[in-house]
Structures are given as structure tokens and as C-alpha cells.
Amino acid sequence: MKKATRVSNEIGIRNLCEVASIVLRTMPVNAATTFTVRTLMREAVNKSNPSYRGNDNKKNVRYVSSAAVPHMGRKGPVVAEHLIPISVLLNSRLYAAFDPVTETVALVRLAKQYANMALISVEEDALLRKHKLQSKMPANWDGADLFARYRAVGIEVFPIEEIGNKKLSE
């Protein structure tokens, strides 16, 4: 087997989406293929973040809640999570976007749409869970508002640059 070579994030995203496309196109939908596609798309989404800094999602957030700010840069009671849950991508968007002719392009576009992450407190994460919004969007979601879950439960998030570009834990 040849040794793998490093590629740019753009090529990596496309490769991940191409493999997901091949699985979707050629394999039956079952637990194994769903797991494979979910894993591939989660990684493509994470790499689609313009400020991607490796597999530590706390370093890849673009938004932060007021409650999480005091805990930035420390191992503390915070959670890094996607503004729109990956399960929404998989359950409602992925299969609707799948077209055997243009699937890789559609999957890359979806990965980039779902790349935004926020740092929230564990209490805010529990609030999302309590309202059953940890892995889904509100019933009245318009399909576009990135912050609909947070707004629905009263969590305020803002771009991380607004707090003076503090570095997250290294």
C-alpha cells in the first residue's frame, strides 16, 4: 500500500465527499453505510470551517455564547457544537441533495453550509437537550437561520472576533 500524502483542506473535503458519494451511489442504505457517510460528512463539515485548526472542535468555533466566554482557553465546562446539527444534514438535507450526476458538488456545498460551530456552556447544552434541540432544529425552522436553536431557548451567541480574538486552548 502506498503511503498517504497530505493534501489541502479543499482537496480533502472533496475527497471525503467523493467517497460519501460513492457509498451513497453504490451501497444499500443500512447501519454500516449510514455510519460511514455520517463519519465522512462530519469530517468534511469540520474541515470546511475557514479557520479549521485540527480535530479539536473547541479550536474551530466561530461563535461563542456569553456564558462560555469566561471559560475560553481553559479546560472548562464548555461544549463545541455545530450551529445546525450534523444529524439535520444527514436526516433531511443529505439524501434530498443527492443526485448521481452532481452529488460530489452538492455534498461539498452542504458540508460548507454546515461548517459553523459555537462554543456554549454545559448548562446551555443541557438547555438544548431539555428542549429536544440538541440534534434537531425547531419545528418552525425556516431552513436558513443558523441561530434558530439558540434563539428558541434564549442562548445568545456572537462572532468570536467580537471578544478581541482571544485564542482558544492550545
Side-chain angles (χ1 to χ4, degrees):
M1 188 164 142
K2 288 172 51 175
K3 184 179 177 186
T5 57
R6 283 188 116 6
V7 296
S8 70
N9 266 4
E10 280 302 313
I11 292 172
I13 294 162
R14 180 163 173 73
N15 289 347
L16 289 162
C17 291
E18 180 68 27
V19 173
S21 169
I22 290 167
V23 171
L24 288 168
R25 190 173 55 246
T26 62
M27 304 292 292
V29 177
N30 57 41
T33 56
T34 301
F35 172 81
T36 301
V37 171
R38 180 177 62 241
T39 302
L40 291 163
M41 291 306 297
R42 179 178 297 279
E43 188 63 18
V45 166
N46 289 343
K47 285 183 177 297
S48 292
N49 181 332
S51 58
Y52 178 74
R53 294 186 200 104
N55 289 330
D56 182 352
N57 281 340
K58 290 179 182 176
K59 294 180 180 179
N60 294 320
V61 297
R62 296 178 70 191
Y63 298 89
V64 63
S65 73
S66 300
V69 170
H71 304 288
M72 289 178 61
R74 291 181 263 171
K75 291 185 181 193
V78 292
V79 175
E81 61 124 46
H82 294 96
L83 298 181
I84 301 173
I86 297 293
S87 60
V88 173
L89 162 67
L90 296 171
N91 296 336
S92 64
R93 301 291 173 116
L94 180 69
Y95 295 103
F98 188 76
D99 173 346
V101 176
T102 62
E103 71 275 354
T104 300
V105 173
L107 295 179
V108 169
R109 187 176 19 211
L110 280 172
K112 291 181 181 204
Q113 287 175 337
Y114 284 74
N116 292 303
M117 296 186 75
L119 191 66
I120 61 173
S121 71
V122 293
E123 292 83 11
E124 290 167 329
D125 187 53
L127 191 59
L128 288 171
R129 188 176 294 113
K130 176 183 171 188
H131 290 277
K132 299 185 181 343
L133 293 174
Q134 188 175 25
S135 61
K136 63 183 183 178
M137 297 302 284
N140 62 348
W141 183 47
D142 64 4
D145 181 7
L146 296 177
F147 308 102
R149 290 185 309 140
Y150 303 131
R151 215 178 320 283
V153 299
I155 299 171
E156 179 188 4
V157 295
F158 50 91
I160 206 160
E161 302 86 44
E162 290 183 14
I163 58 166
N165 291 327
K166 288 186 181 181
K167 282 182 86 175
L168 296 175
S169 61
E170 304 214 352

